[in-house]
Amino acid sequence: MSLNIRKSAIINRTKEYIKKEFESEGSGHDWWHVYRVRNLAIKIANLEGGDLFLIEMAALLHDLDDWKICSEDELRVEKWLLELDLEKSVQTKIIEITRQVSFKGANVENKAISPEAKIVQDADRLDAIGAIGIARTFSYGGSKGRLIYDPGIKPEMHNSFDAYKKTTSPTINHFYEKLLLLKDRLNTKTAKKIAVSRHQYLTEYLNQFFKEWEGIDF
Ligand code: ADP
Ligand code: NI
């Protein structure tokens, strides 16, 4: 089997596995989020460079071990990669990328290191802003039984990943605690360009939201 055929078979198996695992995920982490992140990561990589196989694999697997979906010691990415007949060094690279992707709080530094991790992280972050980001945020908030908004509860800038994980604040606060910060935390030029209109959409949405809240939109 040629290397390319082998690689595409591995990607297809991984895609089917992830589709199945994420079938009934209702907190904004469904298969279609993974699908969009994968597509966006490939588009960015086509303009910026990077190993396409590593990028596609890491994009497909990036949320599999997310703390919101499963317990941190399940190591499902590692287990899945062991099932595939991949070289150890490739497995290690994919695991490293998936670990470097996630957002851990406003004041918590988490820089993606390899060019591939930078691209997958950017694609994941772009899917958290714009119209889709808004939909995912309310879907996540709803799944946790959170209020849409409470004027008495102010957004918090979390200093640790633990504090960020524990928050139960209303969903509008999440815009200030994460979404509006993302445009300045992107790694690649291409992602920064894509973020401009998505970020603007967030700010327009919030303006309208608060106008309607106060009844001053007419
Ligand atoms: P990603 O898959 O982009 O890494 P997360 O795993 O952080 O995103 O969260 C999944 C979705 O739920 C994202 O759109 C994110 O902004 C949203 N989300 C995460 N935490 C909260 C929260 N506390 N309140 C509302 N939405 C949240
Ligand atoms: Ni994600």
Side-chain angles (χ1 to χ4, degrees), residues 146-170:
R146 308 262 169 83
L147 283 177
I148 293 175
Y149 178 54
D150 179 340
I153 307 174
K154 298 293 164 217
E156 276 178 69
M157 294 298 113
H158 300 108
N159 291 316
S160 75
F161 186 30
D162 253 359
Y164 175 68
K165 281 200 267 192
K166 282 189 193 131
T167 184
T168 55
S169 54

Side-chain angles (χ1 to χ4, degrees), residues 29 33 63 66 68 124 136-137 140 146 174 178-179:
H29 282 98
H33 162 63
D63 269 339
D66 193 284
K68 290 180 231 65
D124 192 36
R136 292 180 69 218
T137 301
Y140 182 92
R146 308 262 169 83
H174 190 67
K178 173 180 169 189
L179 309 190

Side-chain angles (χ1 to χ4, degrees), residues 72-84:
E72 269 165 69
D73 48 14
E74 274 188 58
L75 304 176
R76 297 196 290 176
V77 174
E78 279 189 52
K79 285 183 191 148
W80 175 250
L81 293 175
L82 277 176
E83 272 190 41
L84 303 168

Side-chain angles (χ1 to χ4, degrees), residues 11-198:
I11 284 172
N12 277 334
R13 275 182 70 190
T14 304
K15 203 170 102 186
E16 291 312 313
Y17 168 59
I18 292 294
K19 254 188 185 168
K20 211 163 106 264
E21 286 298 316
F22 286 69
E23 228 163 27
S24 53
E25 232 294 315
S27 69
H29 282 98
D30 53 288
W31 155 249
W32 295 109
H33 162 63
V34 177
Y35 168 91
R36 291 186 303 267
V37 170
R38 189 259 260 148
N39 287 350
L40 209 44
I42 291 173
K43 277 193 185 149
I44 298 171
N46 282 334
L47 295 163
E48 304 254 348
D51 181 319
L52 281 173
F53 176 71
L54 293 179
I55 288 173
E56 190 163 4
M57 284 296 285
L60 288 170
L61 294 167
H62 85 275
D63 269 339
L64 190 60
D65 281 331
D66 193 284
W67 56 275
K68 290 180 231 65
I69 300 175
C70 65
S71 67
E72 269 165 69
D73 48 14
E74 274 188 58
L75 304 176
R76 297 196 290 176
V77 174
E78 279 189 52
K79 285 183 191 148
W80 175 250
L81 293 175
L82 277 176
E83 272 190 41
L84 303 168
D85 192 20
L86 281 173
E87 288 160 50
K88 190 83 203 132
S89 67
V90 176
Q91 291 182 32
T92 310
K93 280 184 194 155
I94 295 171
I95 292 165
E96 266 173 23
I97 303 171
T98 59
R99 293 208 178 130
Q100 287 165 1
V101 169
S102 86
F103 182 84
K104 299 186 172 70
N107 295 331
V108 184
E109 200 176 0
N110 102 289
K111 281 217 179 307
I113 297 156
S114 68
E116 286 79 16
K118 286 182 177 168
I119 288 175
V120 179
Q121 190 183 70
D122 279 359
D124 192 36
R125 292 186 167 175
L126 286 172
D127 204 55
I129 59 177
I132 286 180
I134 295 171
R136 292 180 69 218
T137 301
F138 284 105
S139 159
Y140 182 92
S143 79
K144 300 281 168 199
R146 308 262 169 83
L147 283 177
I148 293 175
Y149 178 54
D150 179 340
I153 307 174
K154 298 293 164 217
E156 276 178 69
M157 294 298 113
H158 300 108
N159 291 316
S160 75
F161 186 30
D162 253 359
Y164 175 68
K165 281 200 267 192
K166 282 189 193 131
T167 184
T168 55
S169 54
T171 301
I172 284 288
N173 292 20
H174 190 67
F175 284 71
Y176 299 93
E177 291 165 359
K178 173 180 169 189
L179 309 190
L180 293 169
L181 311 175
L182 291 179
K183 78 165 177 36
D184 294 325
R185 298 192 182 198
L186 296 168
N187 306 295
T188 65
K189 254 204 224 141
T190 308
K192 285 176 191 165
K193 258 195 219 157
I194 300 171
V196 172
S197 66
R198 294 190 185 198

